[in-house]
Amino acid sequence: MPVHNAEIAAMFDQAAELLEIKGDNPFRTRAYRRAARVLESLPKSVAAMLRAGEDLAELPGIGEDLASKIATIVETGKFDLLESLKRELPGDLGEIAAIPGLGPKRVKLLIEKLGVRSIEDVRRAAKRGRLGELPGFGPKLQQNILAALAKPVAAKRFKLPFAEAEAGALIDWLSRGLDGGRVVAAGSFRRRRDTVGDLDILATTTRAAAVGDRLVEYEDVAKALAHGPTRTTVILRSGIQVDLRVVKEESCGAALMYFTGSKAHNIALRNLAVDRGWKLNEYGLFDEDSAIAGETEEGIYKKLGLQFVPPELREDRGEIALAQKNALPHLVQLSDIRGDLHVHSNWSDGNATIAEMTQAAKARGYAYMALTDHSRRVTIAHGLDRARLLRQIDEIDRLNAKLRGFTVLKGIEVDILADGSLDLPDEVLSRLDIVVAAVHYKFDLSRDEQTERIIRAMDNRHVSILAHPTGRLIEERAPYDIDMDRVMTAAKERGCCLELNAEPDRLDLTDVAAKAAKELGVQIAISTDAHSTAGLAYMRYGVDQARRGWLEPGDVINTRPLRYLKKLIRR
DNA sequence: GCCGTTTTCGGCCCGACTGTTTTCAGTCG
């Protein structure tokens, strides 16, 4: 039973939480948390790295001790430290600590003084008013705890289109109340993560209090959680939390940097400042008491001896070392994209004609578009059988004959059957310009079976691109279990490309997987999977994700002119 | 527990807000 990086990361997070409650050295708990984040963003599984004889202690934040603990976990599946911590501190302590207002110190008090072990214990103690016996538990805190227990909010993350709509409306509202100054979104929203947990909004103005007041007055506010002179936190009716921070113009860059994060990136930058005897905070970069930068992010990076780091790269995944050497990747941009390689029409489950999709793609400035309707197995989508596909090929030939400066590539999104064979015979596939292969059923195969199935599909030399490689639907359906290391290696060996599906419900590959593909030299297609003309606009989400995966134009096949593209998709 | 053009020991990012106190700890980001 292979142990995934994410599982080890979760063990480290749990251990950190329990060590915190115990009151252990806070820097030790931080080390476990940092290591967990490093593990989560590794391009390869540690199991594979160990097999290859790599030294895990060379990873940032992982020393001899953690390297050996990881090796033991991979070997045995067990983490002794965590096991003994759990024996020492049994119960659902993680859930208790997740209640707003309850941190490690207060949880420790609850355990020691009231013998609390579960959320139910907390509820009983709160109802009997026993929490008031504890130091630091005033009436207000008890009330907040009861309220939180009455309406448990699931830790939810929000998809980008929803976050964009909420942020847009809110920024508009705040801006209209501002005389001078500006309002922007920062946080993971600005870093273009695939989902956001909350909205971090930054306003620059001299009248700080007025902006916070205006946020509290916003009609969609369900509850104000905190409201100070420079910082205000509210929950909107939709359930998303908004953190507003207001600073003066001269601190704008520093505040934007601080509020954009990531936390790990910020800490690394602040350490660089400390190395030089300076201090970096949300107000600026300071030598003693005098500000030496702060109005712009560019100015701060420059003073720290760094190239400007695009927000998408700010995850402490190696970008700082490269920025010191002026060697950051030249990230792909939306304007580099010359075509879309996964598009549906009303021949299957799209809602527009081939001509309409073509016009819309052309209007976006593209040079080509691959029409890739579903194959016959996807009956619910009215998938194409051999005869209909041949008719479609004829229709596209006729359409192409009339087009100037634009080419519709004849393609299919062919289903990968359970045994890894394809849903249409080679004789038909060979007549197409491009074949995109995808899994749409039998998600529950074992890891080995699913991996073999997909690799077998890529064995077919007509397959140019593996579509949405993990099948995940964000917040709805987990990725099916595959060995991504093996799939990518197999793709590389066969000259098959992987898709980065730009649909904001999918964004599949993830940023981390895209970076791993790049490092292996696997070419990526950023494709929208559009089922309507409007769907073509999802390209920007795919490009954002690709940038988070460090992809450059040369890593992305649909930045190529048609001539070169054709070489890349023919095997 | 990690890490090192000061260091293998002694540091470890920085500040806002709340609630409970009366000068600050705890929590959060």
Side-chain angles (χ1 to χ4, degrees), chain A residues 28 39 44 55 58 61 100 104 133 141 180 195 220 244 280 292 330 333 415 418 466 498 509 530 545 547 551 557:
Chain A
R28 187 176 174 220
L39 288 175
K44 285 181 283 188
D55 182 8
E58 283 176 18
E133 301 167 12
L141 182 59
T195 54
D220 268 351
L244 171 72
L280 177 62
I292 53 178
H330 299 283
Q333 300 176 49
D415 242 54
L466 175 65
L498 297 185
L509 303 172
Q545 211 58 206
R547 290 169 63 83
L551 299 196
I557 60 170

Side-chain angles (χ1 to χ4, degrees), chain A residues 12 33 62 86 99 187 259 389 479-480 486 541:
Chain A
F12 282 4
R33 288 224 160 84
I62 293 175
K86 279 180 172 171
I99 298 171
F259 227 23
L389 180 55
Y480 36 76
R486 278 183 65 201
Y541 296 111

Side-chain angles (χ1 to χ4, degrees), chain A residues 368-426:
Chain A
Y368 49 84
M369 172 190 94
L371 193 75
T372 55
D373 274 313
H374 286 288
S375 63
R376 58 186 181 175
R377 204 214 68 88
V378 193
T379 46
I380 197 164
H382 202 35
L384 273 57
D385 57 15
R386 181 177 183 282
R388 289 182 68 221
L389 180 55
L390 292 179
R391 284 215 304 282
Q392 190 183 65
I393 288 173
D394 286 342
E395 170 156 334
I396 293 173
D397 280 338
R398 282 195 298 276
L399 180 60
N400 273 331
K402 287 187 285 184
L403 289 170
R404 287 274 173 278
F406 190 92
T407 302
V408 180
L409 296 169
K410 290 164 282 189
I412 189 84
E413 180 181 9
V414 67
D415 242 54
I416 299 176
L417 304 179
D419 63 357
S421 61
L422 302 178
D423 191 26
L424 287 166
D426 285 357

Side-chain angles (χ1 to χ4, degrees), chain A residues 31-279:
Chain A
Y32 278 103
R33 288 224 160 84
R34 166 141 201 248
R37 301 291 79 73
V38 169
L39 288 175
E40 280 171 350
S41 60
L42 278 185
K44 285 181 283 188
S45 77
V46 286
M49 292 174 74
L50 287 168
R51 274 199 303 278
E54 292 182 53
D55 182 8
L56 300 181
E58 283 176 18
L59 294 168
I62 293 175
E64 294 301 329
D65 182 82
L66 287 181
S68 109
K69 286 191 165 100
I70 293 169
T72 307
I73 294 170
V74 168
E75 204 179 313
T76 68
K78 286 218 168 67
F79 182 22
D80 289 342
L81 172 67
L82 181 58
E83 302 290 322
S84 68
L85 283 168
K86 279 180 172 171
R87 278 194 298 273
E88 206 177 329
L89 297 168
D92 311 324
L93 304 188
E95 285 179 45
I96 299 176
I99 298 171
L102 291 186
K105 300 279 167 49
R106 287 175 182 148
V107 171
K108 187 182 189 191
L109 268 180
L110 287 171
I111 295 169
E112 287 180 348
K113 305 290 183 191
L114 301 181
V116 159
R117 291 284 178 233
S118 66
I119 290 272
E120 269 318 302
D121 292 344
V122 177
R123 195 194 309 275
R124 261 194 302 275
K127 280 186 176 159
R128 291 178 191 163
R130 296 205 57 197
L131 299 186
E133 301 167 12
L134 306 176
F137 282 73
K140 196 74 184 250
L141 182 59
Q142 291 184 68
Q143 197 183 318
N144 287 346
I145 291 172
L146 274 172
L149 289 174
K151 201 174 64 155
V153 274
K156 184 177 189 296
R157 295 190 65 85
F158 300 88
K159 291 180 247 187
L160 281 172
F162 169 82
E164 281 175 348
E166 290 282 71
L170 178 57
I171 287 173
D172 187 48
W173 161 259
L174 293 174
S175 301
R176 275 188 279 124
L178 217 61
D179 44 351
R182 63 195 182 113
V183 185
V184 295
S188 52
F189 182 86
R190 181 167 178 242
R191 299 201 311 280
R192 307 309 290 167
R193 266 191 67 170
D194 52 8
T195 54
V196 301
D198 62 8
L199 288 175
D200 298 305
I201 309 285
L202 174 71
T204 53
T205 173
T206 48
R207 300 188 52 232
V211 190
D213 291 345
R214 192 165 167 84
L215 173 58
V216 173
E217 289 161 14
Y218 186 53
E219 62 173 355
D220 268 351
V221 166
K223 188 171 187 229
L225 297 179
H227 185 27
T230 69
R231 176 170 211 145
T232 301
T233 301
V234 301
I235 301 246
L236 300 186
R237 284 187 200 155
S238 58
I240 195 166
Q241 179 172 318
V242 179
D243 292 332
L244 171 72
R245 191 65 193 271
V246 194
V247 297
K248 296 194 176 115
E249 192 63 41
E250 63 259 31
S251 298
C252 179
L256 186 56
M257 186 180 249
Y258 156 74
F259 227 23
T260 297
S262 70
K263 189 180 169 119
H265 181 83
N266 284 348
I267 289 175
L269 291 182
R270 287 171 178 197
N271 280 325
L272 282 183
V274 169
D275 288 346
R276 289 164 170 72
W278 299 335
K279 182 172 71 170

Side-chain angles (χ1 to χ4, degrees), chain A residues 445-494:
Chain A
L445 294 183
S446 76
R447 187 178 174 87
D448 276 345
E449 288 172 328
Q450 197 69 280
T451 304
E452 296 292 342
R453 173 193 191 184
I454 287 170
I455 291 177
R456 186 169 166 225
M458 292 194 294
D459 282 340
N460 186 312
R461 50 179 290 279
H462 298 298
V463 173
S464 317
I465 299 173
L466 175 65
H468 40 73
T470 78
R472 76 159 179 175
L473 292 176
I474 296 175
E475 296 283 309
E476 286 170 45
R477 184 173 75 207
Y480 36 76
D481 196 11
I482 52 167
D483 184 336
M484 190 54 96
D485 290 344
R486 278 183 65 201
V487 169
M488 284 188 182
T489 304
K492 172 66 182 170
E493 288 165 357
R494 290 158 181 75

Side-chain angles (χ1 to χ4, degrees), chain A residues 430-441:
Chain A
S430 68
R431 302 188 191 200
L432 297 167
D433 299 311
I434 186 166
V435 173
V436 176
V439 166
H440 288 113
Y441 73 114

Side-chain angles (χ1 to χ4, degrees), chain A residues 297-318:
Chain A
E297 289 186 323
E298 286 82 356
I300 298 170
Y301 279 113
K302 197 171 172 193
K303 277 281 180 200
L304 292 174
L306 300 174
Q307 197 181 350
F308 177 79
V309 180
E312 295 93 332
L313 293 185
R314 300 183 192 173
E315 299 288 345
D316 194 22
R317 291 177 184 165

